[in-house]
Amino acid sequence: MGSSGGGWRWHGGGKNGNGNSEACALSSTFAYFLSSFVVLGAIGSLYGRYMVTPNVRQGIAALGCLDDSEGSWALGVFYGDSPFSLGPIESMNVWKDKSAAWPVANPVMTCASLSDAGFPSNFVADPFLYIQGDVLYLFYETKNSVTWHGDIGVAQSVDKGVTWQPLGIALDEEWHLSYPYVFDHNGNIYMVPEGSGNGDVRLYRATGFPLKWTLEKIILKRPLIDSSIIAHEGKLWLFGSDNSWIGTEQNGQLEIWYSDSPLGPWKPHKKNPIYNTYKTMGARNGGRPFVYNGDLYRVGQDCGETYGRKTRLFKIEALTTDEFKEVNVPFSLEDSNKGVNSWNGARSHHLDVQQLSSGEWIAVVDGDRVPSGDSIHRFILGSASVVSVAALIVLIGILVGAVRGIVPLSWCPHNMGKRSDTVAVLAWERPNLSSKVRLFCSRLNRASSTLRTRTRSNTCLATFVLVLMIMVAVALTCTAVKYIYGGNGAQEAYPINGHYSQFTLLTMTYDARLWNLNMYVKHYSRCSSVREIVVVWNKGEPPLPSDFDSAVPVRIRVEKKNSLNNRFRVDLLIKTRAVLELDDDIMMTCDDVERGFRVWRERPDQIVGFYPRLTNGAPLKYRAEKHARKHNGYNIILTGAAFFDSQVAFERYWSEQAAPGRALVDKFFNCEDVLMNYLYANASSGSTSVEYVRPAWAIDTSKFTGVAISKNTQAHYGVRSKCLQMFAEMYGSLSDRKLEFGRRSDGWDV
């Protein structure tokens, strides 16, 4: 059956060649859609390859760390002289050789920690400490990757919370469990986990601490959330929230119950509900209440911007069976400004702080890099982008004539029955749903024809609209890849043996390159493992550290002499073992930097960097990376983008042996990076002293500013060739130290 509605006309038959023309139309339309899919698919693939950060959790062999709408919570440890002066573990400068952590950095436990230990987990949250002498036990919620409900896990530390060994699952019920509040009473160890999904509050007693627990009693038949019990003035007080009542403010309600025993009976406070207010006010519990200097404090959650945004602290001034009064007191942990790249960049909703036998205070907290519901939000945006791309492909096809209409009329339902009698005729002529749909399809197609006619009447307009739509389609394709394939967008650090660490970023510059430096500091200070940025200022009026938009401290080290040797001057203020020497005109992703740091932690006695060179032949000649690729090998890593050991490299560079080399660097104002390679090779007993990591991409920003140090490449290479020849005479040849590309199993050095 033919149509006059301007549809795609894919259905045919007919006479006078209509079948052939419609077959051609079908063929051209199909080719158009296929080519559009291939082109946009290729663009999306390239975008995903070079611009979307790989997921560091892909290396986990076991099931675990799956995308979860509740978040990607992890646990951190803080220390201080009081609950009000807590600093992260990295500020304690604790070094662990076994895990190549110099120093150890938060988080100390993640979903990967548990999954690698054989307990598949999507995240860990709600940590509570139990201290037995010098042994610390950590109870926490772990989101089971198999059952997708919360279990209660437990880990042990014998080094004051620096290293945690997962022991297993302490409690697993058929319903979701979280907030494992563990406490002592009359010689027994009890746990009150949150299990509001089961509609009650349950008290468990340890029968084989820490992994064996038995149900002691259901103490309240109320679906209380995040229940905390504390002894105060001869009674036990239970704080919890009940969101089940009509009119209750979500995360804004608080009730108090009291008893003489954990077993009850529990009686409601006279003023219940204590709060039924805004979710920003901290009504919902956020950890263990504690006593400091004789005062009782309660931890609450501020859920204003997102669930679990931050913790708030309240000093309880009155707590009796008839009265309750608390006041908000100033409290904050060290906030990260690194956003999604920080393990707690988006929120932290739990705190348990206790005093050790040494008098020092230790706190365990949880943190998340993304807000609540992030995975759902990303899926919606990604799906919407895909639908929008499909719509744009159709519209572009209409404009170029590859598609004759938006909806083929053959897809629209219509009455195919005969009209041989009056009843049938009346029934056929009566408006029905299928005829309305077909009418809508016809009007939609006429609208597309009108659009094509109007744009064709103005060639400039048609070209502009077409180019604009293509650009939007490409942008939406990249957006879809980012949200669907790219995960939460975090460029996370890579742990070794469960530990994270930090490094110092060092760059050398002068006043003419301040524009580069501003962009440099803003970008790299957001990388997860960067602890401090040290700017070696060689010439001109130095800027102030406060002039920079930085997420970490910036230190300006002003030098008296303009010398490239200043790059490796001994600096006793550097607190990390690892230093990344990175020129201020090099921009690469934080993920590339983190991968380089990961490789260096495996081989801290080597120079690990991103720019390989090969020096060989006679006479020695300095060549670009292309030469190394041609001969499939390298023996030099340029230290303008490389990790090395601050304790070894600086002293080695300023040794008496290196004095002739330093003099040559000052003479040529060049080659300090080449000298460091010769010094490392000369001191190395093995065959390797360097390691290459290939960045996804790198940009030289000096090309945009005209302040490149080496503007004449040919002259620059000539000077460096002289350096190679003279250094070889001083410190020996590097020709026999060639390393091939592609030696690593992870493919990071291809």
Side-chain angles (χ1 to χ4, degrees), residues 109 118 294 576:
M109 183 170 292
T576 64

Side-chain angles (χ1 to χ4, degrees), residues 661-698:
R662 295 198 305 273
L664 199 63
V665 169
D666 278 336
K667 177 182 178 181
F668 291 130
F669 203 75
N670 204 325
C671 306
E672 80 287 356
D673 51 351
V674 178
L675 173 58
M676 182 65 85
N677 276 266
Y678 273 91
L679 295 175
Y680 257 79
N682 186 264
S684 174
S685 58
S687 60
T688 61
S689 59
V690 294
E691 184 79 13
Y692 168 63
V693 177
R694 182 170 186 170
W697 52 264

Side-chain angles (χ1 to χ4, degrees), residues 361-377:
W361 288 79
I362 182 174
V364 287
V365 304
D366 59 13
D368 195 357
R369 63 182 71 251
V370 296
S372 179
D374 177 71
S375 63
I376 296 176
H377 175 73

Side-chain angles (χ1 to χ4, degrees), residues 79 88-108 162-163 493-496 498-505 528-532 573-579 594 597 600-601 645-647:
Y79 301 93
I89 190 172
E90 49 264 30
S91 65
M92 303 297 292
N93 211 31
V94 179
W95 288 24
K96 283 289 181 180
D97 291 338
K98 184 178 180 181
S99 54
W102 309 289
V104 174
N106 280 325
V108 297
V162 176
T163 306
Y494 293 76
I496 291 182
H499 273 153
Y500 295 85
S501 190
Q502 292 183 324
F503 63 86
T504 299
L505 184 62
S528 179
S529 300
V530 174
R531 177 169 180 168
E532 179 189 29
L573 295 180
I574 292 176
K575 301 301 182 183
T576 64
R577 182 176 175 184
V579 167
E594 296 293 349
F597 185 39
W600 179 86
R601 290 175 65 191
D645 188 335
S646 63
Q647 295 183 332

Side-chain angles (χ1 to χ4, degrees), residues 47-292:
Y47 179 82
R49 169 66 177 84
Y50 293 104
M51 301 302 295
V52 175
T53 304
N55 187 350
V56 300
R57 300 171 182 175
Q58 290 175 350
I60 299 174
L63 174 67
C65 294
L66 304 178
D67 220 6
D68 198 300
S69 62
E70 290 191 68
S72 56
W73 296 93
L75 308 182
V77 176
F78 287 68
Y79 301 93
D81 296 329
S82 80
F84 297 92
S85 61
L86 298 170
I89 190 172
E90 49 264 30
S91 65
M92 303 297 292
N93 211 31
V94 179
W95 288 24
K96 283 289 181 180
D97 291 338
K98 184 178 180 181
S99 54
W102 309 289
V104 174
N106 280 325
V108 297
M109 183 170 292
T110 66
C111 61
S113 307
L114 294 187
S115 300
D116 288 340
F119 310 105
S121 173
N122 289 351
F123 64 78
V124 284
D126 293 352
F128 282 101
L129 283 171
Y130 186 86
I131 302 175
Q132 285 186 338
D134 294 331
V135 181
L136 307 182
Y137 294 94
L138 183 65
F139 292 85
Y140 48 85
E141 172 196 355
T142 169
K143 182 71 172 290
N144 191 303
S145 300
V146 178
T147 63
W148 283 78
H149 66 63
D151 299 329
I152 304 303
V154 59
Q156 181 188 67
S157 175
V158 294
D159 58 3
K160 208 171 68 173
V162 176
T163 306
W164 294 93
Q165 177 189 358
L167 300 179
I169 302 301
L171 200 59
D172 179 9
E173 297 285 14
E174 294 181 358
W175 52 89
H176 181 88
L177 296 175
S178 62
Y179 204 83
Y181 190 88
V182 180
F183 66 100
D184 285 319
H185 185 77
N186 289 345
N188 290 314
I189 304 175
Y190 293 103
M191 182 197 300
V192 181
E194 192 232 295
S196 58
N198 199 48
D200 53 30
V201 179
R202 299 188 170 212
L203 180 71
Y204 295 83
R205 178 173 54 86
T207 57
F209 186 86
L211 287 173
K212 293 184 179 179
W213 299 79
T214 185
L215 176 62
E216 191 76 356
K217 187 178 181 182
I218 298 176
I219 58 176
L220 279 175
K221 293 188 176 180
R222 294 279 299 278
L224 292 188
I225 296 173
D226 297 348
S227 300
S228 300
I229 297 176
I230 191 170
H232 180 69
E233 295 184 351
K235 291 187 179 297
L236 294 178
W237 303 86
L238 185 152
F239 295 77
S241 302
D242 186 352
N243 293 333
S244 64
W245 297 103
I246 297 176
T248 299
E249 290 291 335
Q250 191 76 12
N251 298 320
Q253 199 259 15
L254 178 68
E255 296 181 1
I256 298 177
W257 301 67
Y258 61 91
S259 176
D260 295 324
S261 165
L263 302 177
W266 290 90
K267 300 178 182 178
H269 194 278
K270 183 178 180 180
K271 291 191 173 181
N272 275 351
I274 302 298
Y275 296 126
N276 187 27
T277 183
Y278 299 112
K279 57 186 177 181
T280 60
M281 301 304 293
R284 180 170 175 170
N285 287 328
R288 185 189 305 273
F290 64 90
V291 176
Y292 178 67

